[in-house]
Amino acid sequence: MEYRRIKDQDKDGDAVGNDIESLPGKGLSVPASGSPSDRSKWKRKSIVTLALTVLTSSQAILIVWSKRAGKYEYSVTTANFLVEALKCALSLAALARIWRHEGVTEDNRLSTTFDEVSVYPIPAALYLVKNLLQYYIFAYVDAPGYQILKNLNIISTGVLYRIILKKKLSETQWAAFILLCAGCTTAQLNSSSDHVLQTPFQGWVMAIVMALLSGIAGVYTEAIIKRRPSRNINVQNFWLYVFGMGFNAIAIVIQDFDAVMNKGFFHGYSLITVLMILNHALSGLAVSMVMKYADNIVKVYSTSVALLLTAVVSVFLFGFHLSLAFFLGSTVVSVSIYLHSIGKPQR
């Protein structure tokens, strides 16, 4: 959901994407001032941080938990379609509130031109493939391993910023990239098997492909948003999700048409599946709220805590073995994310 973060930064006058050029925050310390305004801001920041941490850590857990006997009984394409539909509905609800309080303006109206809307299919298609891959990657990795490997998108986004948008990275951020690779590898070390790494080659390939797709989609979406920075983010999200729904409908027809027609759209759905769909839809909203009501360091704290929280919960739910290598790797990954967030990009 990089495009939400980018847009919120643009509104605050920051011309650079969150994943590459981030500002150090002040953490979650209780304000020294006892004014109601300061206490309200701290409370709001705490709530948003807790929400992002819970959503981030539970995302992989819910996907794994939704499987039965190691397989998805529901259609992952229909689940992905419902995620896009829910996000589209949330964007419309946000727009309805804006229209009610501020009226309809040129920047928040849904009507648009072909030139403006024609750029959304590309990131929508990229996100479709990336989101579907995140279901299939669990054939090769566990929930904690997924939380570690998905941080590779920080590297892909950084490199793509350098190549496509010509934005230079600081030495600290390049060092953070190296640490991130080392941390991901360390966390996957397997001392109880003949295999050096817990995740097989196929899992690493899928993780790298997902990271590349996420990075390309994020950078491309930033370029789209900056073409018209005054455009309301909910309008841009709406059109992105509309195309996302369209591509997912095509995926349903190609991959699961017979199953959906014979067994029904919601065949195999359970309470966990519904919670997973809600989680995916709300995660992007939580990230945008962090950038609006808190700061980037809050996202760093949430990501770091989510790494360990996912591992601890997986111990009880899935019998995950919390090894020393995983703990050390998670620590290195958390440090690398922090260094990346405080690294000042070179101008």
Side-chain angles (χ1 to χ4, degrees), residues 185-306:
T185 304
T186 302
Q188 293 295 308
L189 291 177
N190 189 1
S191 59
S192 60
S193 172
D194 294 335
H195 300 286
V196 178
L197 300 177
Q198 294 182 14
T199 300
F201 177 74
Q202 298 95 319
W204 280 94
V205 170
M206 293 181 72
I208 293 172
V209 171
M210 288 176 61
L212 287 173
L213 291 172
S214 179
I216 295 172
V219 172
Y220 190 89
T221 305
E222 177 181 358
I224 293 175
I225 290 175
K226 288 187 174 180
R227 288 178 58 182
R228 187 176 174 182
S230 62
R231 193 69 154 136
N232 187 281
I233 184 63
N234 293 296
V235 175
Q236 294 172 315
N237 285 342
F238 170 81
W239 285 111
L240 182 65
Y241 299 148
V242 165
F243 282 104
M245 291 170 61
F247 284 126
N248 276 279
I250 295 174
I252 292 173
V253 172
I254 295 175
Q255 183 172 326
D256 297 315
F257 180 77
D258 290 337
V260 171
M261 293 301 295
N262 295 328
K263 298 179 181 179
F265 192 90
F266 298 101
H267 174 75
Y269 275 58
S270 64
L271 176 61
I272 300 301
T273 310
V274 174
L275 291 176
M276 180 197 68
I277 292 171
L278 288 173
N279 176 283
H280 279 69
L282 293 176
S283 292
L285 180 61
V287 170
S288 64
M289 289 178 66
V290 162
M291 299 312 301
K292 182 175 182 180
Y293 296 119
D295 42 42
N296 186 65
I297 202 67
V298 168
K299 181 178 178 294
V300 173
Y301 290 151
S302 298
T303 303
S304 301
V305 172

Side-chain angles (χ1 to χ4, degrees), residues 74-344:
Y74 59 91
S75 165
V76 296
T77 54
T78 62
N80 214 35
F81 175 86
L82 290 175
V83 170
E84 297 298 311
L86 182 55
K87 290 190 292 187
C88 189
L90 290 173
S91 297
L92 276 178
L95 279 173
R97 182 180 179 185
I98 293 174
W99 293 335
R100 186 167 60 252
H101 289 87
E102 302 176 10
V104 179
T105 66
E106 187 65 27
D107 289 328
N108 66 27
R109 67 172 68 246
L110 282 180
S111 57
T112 182
T113 63
F114 175 79
D115 288 339
E116 180 182 5
V117 81
S118 62
V119 296
Y120 290 104
I122 295 178
L126 293 173
Y127 281 122
L128 164 69
V129 179
K130 179 257 181 184
N131 290 336
L132 289 178
L133 278 177
Q134 75 179 347
Y135 291 97
Y136 299 115
I137 194 175
F138 286 104
Y140 306 102
V141 302
D142 49 29
Y146 172 78
Q147 289 284 42
I148 289 286
L149 293 176
K150 77 174 187 177
N151 286 296
L152 291 173
N153 70 349
I154 298 177
I155 299 177
S156 66
T157 304
V159 173
L160 288 168
Y161 261 87
R162 181 68 182 91
I163 296 175
I164 299 176
L165 298 183
K166 309 299 181 183
K167 295 184 183 296
K168 296 183 179 180
L169 305 178
S170 68
E171 293 180 357
T172 301
Q173 288 176 318
W174 283 115
F177 288 166
I178 297 174
L179 276 178
L180 183 59
C181 291
C184 289
T185 304
T186 302
Q188 293 295 308
L189 291 177
N190 189 1
S191 59
S192 60
S193 172
D194 294 335
H195 300 286
V196 178
L197 300 177
Q198 294 182 14
T199 300
F201 177 74
Q202 298 95 319
W204 280 94
V205 170
M206 293 181 72
I208 293 172
V209 171
M210 288 176 61
L212 287 173
L213 291 172
S214 179
I216 295 172
V219 172
Y220 190 89
T221 305
E222 177 181 358
I224 293 175
I225 290 175
K226 288 187 174 180
R227 288 178 58 182
R228 187 176 174 182
S230 62
R231 193 69 154 136
N232 187 281
I233 184 63
N234 293 296
V235 175
Q236 294 172 315
N237 285 342
F238 170 81
W239 285 111
L240 182 65
Y241 299 148
V242 165
F243 282 104
M245 291 170 61
F247 284 126
N248 276 279
I250 295 174
I252 292 173
V253 172
I254 295 175
Q255 183 172 326
D256 297 315
F257 180 77
D258 290 337
V260 171
M261 293 301 295
N262 295 328
K263 298 179 181 179
F265 192 90
F266 298 101
H267 174 75
Y269 275 58
S270 64
L271 176 61
I272 300 301
T273 310
V274 174
L275 291 176
M276 180 197 68
I277 292 171
L278 288 173
N279 176 283
H280 279 69
L282 293 176
S283 292
L285 180 61
V287 170
S288 64
M289 289 178 66
V290 162
M291 299 312 301
K292 182 175 182 180
Y293 296 119
D295 42 42
N296 186 65
I297 202 67
V298 168
K299 181 178 178 294
V300 173
Y301 290 151
S302 298
T303 303
S304 301
V305 172
L307 287 174
L308 294 178
L309 186 58
T310 301
V312 172
V313 174
S314 295
V315 169
F316 297 99
L317 290 181
F318 313 120
F320 173 72
H321 175 62
L322 188 59
S323 64
L324 178 61
F326 183 88
F327 178 77
L328 293 176
S330 299
T331 303
V332 173
V333 169
S334 299
V335 171
S336 71
I337 295 173
Y338 174 74
L339 290 176
H340 179 270
S341 72
I342 65 174
K344 294 285 187 181

